[in-house]
Amino acid sequence: MKKLFILLLLVPILNWSQDFSDEDYIYLKRYEHIEIKLNKDQFDITKNVSEQAEYLTARKLYFANEAMHFDSFRSIEDIEAFTLIPETNKKIKVDYIETKREFDNGVFYSDQESKIFTFPAVTKGAVTQLNYKEIIKDPHFLGLFRFGTFVPTKSAQLSIEFPSNVTIGHIDFNTQHIDLDFKKETKGKKTTYTWTVNNIDGYQGEEDSEAVLYYLPHIIVYIKSYEKNGKTINVLNDVSDLYKWYTSLVDQIDDDALDRVYKIADDIVAPLETDREKAEAIFNWVQNNITYVAFEDGLGGFVPRGAASVCDKRYGDCKDMANLLYEMLNHVGITSYRTWIGTRNRNYSYFEVPTPMVDNHMITTTIVENDTIFLDATDSYVPFGMPSAFTQTKEALLGIDNDNFKVVKVPAQEPEKNLTTVTTHMQLDDRRVKVSEKRALTGYDKVEFISEYTYNKDTKTEEEYLNTTLALGNNKTKYNNITKSNFDNKNTPLELAYDLDIDSYAKSIGDKIYINLNIDRTLSKSNIDTKDRKYSKKIDYKFQKAFTTTFKIPEGYTASYIPKEASFEDPQYGFDISYQVKDDIITQTKTIYVNTLSIKNEGFDQWNGFIKSLIKAYKKSIILEQKQ
């Protein structure tokens, strides 16, 4: 009997022959079976999960650490886990499983918990088996299934069994390059959908790539509707059903003591005249006075907390801040809407995926002087009038009233809104270069700098931080006289000023001195490895950088060589570098722009041509010779 059990356990190894022998760890199978039962209007949903893995080497035994996540909407039951040692036919059960809360650190709070354990006696050749049952408590949360994962899988399968009076929706993503088999089987009053794929490679993330859901093969299943007494009752048939569910949650918001909120709003706008001024002032107040703390605690992860409570406690999550803005703005007569939205990490449309999987964020949309303005107070530094960078291009679901909604797309901000201008004065002191430089950052360039500075500078001096962030000149660059202006003013450019002392920067060969005016080499390390790269390159935001650099020719020298103009022009990106000489001053003018949020695979060669041309231009130096 033991030999029969082991033979059955190893069936996945025998059935699929693709060679994964150069891997350290693979899944032999990952199966999920969702069973849906309907009793009157109550769903009973159970997901049975079975995972089997093999350690082909002993190099990555940390995969023996396992965690199963659950929260208020689902529970984990009937866990069976063990390690099989094929050489000895020995089966070793997991004898201790810890239940641990995932987050509770004051910045992020969640009711998510995990069942955590380690497979015992794992070594080369070991096979681990995990079976458990997940109880899904809300029919809106069937979730998604990943056909691929971070390591290869011999066989992946999702099946869903449901009564004949239930209609199931499904949509798969990124499956065009895998051999996905679908079967539909009906027996009596039950139907089963089954998706299976064999021999699927592992999917590893890449630097600056899009989020994993952009390329990982996966499927989202959901309950569209069910029949009762000849009548169709929708659950998530389309976006209107999703919105109807969202409004049912909004109806649960605590609207007590709103007079206190209204009093604050009135005080904020009292000295102001225009709606734009009032909207901006209220937005800035929420940004500056409400600390962002993420919550995912049952329905508390979906229902905004009361505006008065948020004002009193001075903290809240995205829903809380969005609802507070909604209450304040509408009170002072500025039309505003609670708005659900997915970040750029989720590549879904409300019309394709009418489930809670489509979004993971909430903001406020306001209409001021016929302008639609997206307000996200969770981003403490984004200026009024600009959406948060991570919501650009995403669909936003605006709640007009209990019965009406609108889906609009958040625009990508144009490069000139994220402009950095750099004015540089250079002069030569022996082989050292003395530099005085000023930078003015606007839009997301400013937001990114302030965010990084605020959260990452603690362990660094000003000089260390700028040296790491700007990387100007060479590894001997020294920063002095550093100043910052308009750090807290969202409406004016952030101004940085500093002096640089760059040793060993000028090169002397014979009676000639070579000096390169490109101490800032933006994008010089952005070449894409087309040999190994699989996925598109993500760009956080469009931007433009404008440089004006002047160099004073030392007394007794003349410029014997000035680089010619260099440029690269493409609708998505480009640069222009030119030089002028007047008296003893050489002026370099340089402009770089990126006008896209993603470089697709078919555009890699063109992008690399741009970077190659830019680097070539960066390498051009002026040549100085002594006057005869």
Side-chain angles (χ1 to χ4, degrees), residues 204-212 215 533 535-538:
Q204 299 291 334
E206 297 174 334
E207 185 178 4
D208 297 326
S209 67
E210 304 283 3
V212 64
Y215 51 82
R533 183 92 183 190
Y535 313 123
S536 60
K537 175 183 176 68
K538 177 186 176 184

Side-chain angles (χ1 to χ4, degrees), residues 258-274:
L258 284 177
D259 56 318
R260 299 205 301 272
V261 176
Y262 297 156
K263 175 64 167 59
I264 294 173
D266 289 336
D267 290 343
I268 293 170
V269 304
L272 306 174
E273 294 183 1
T274 69

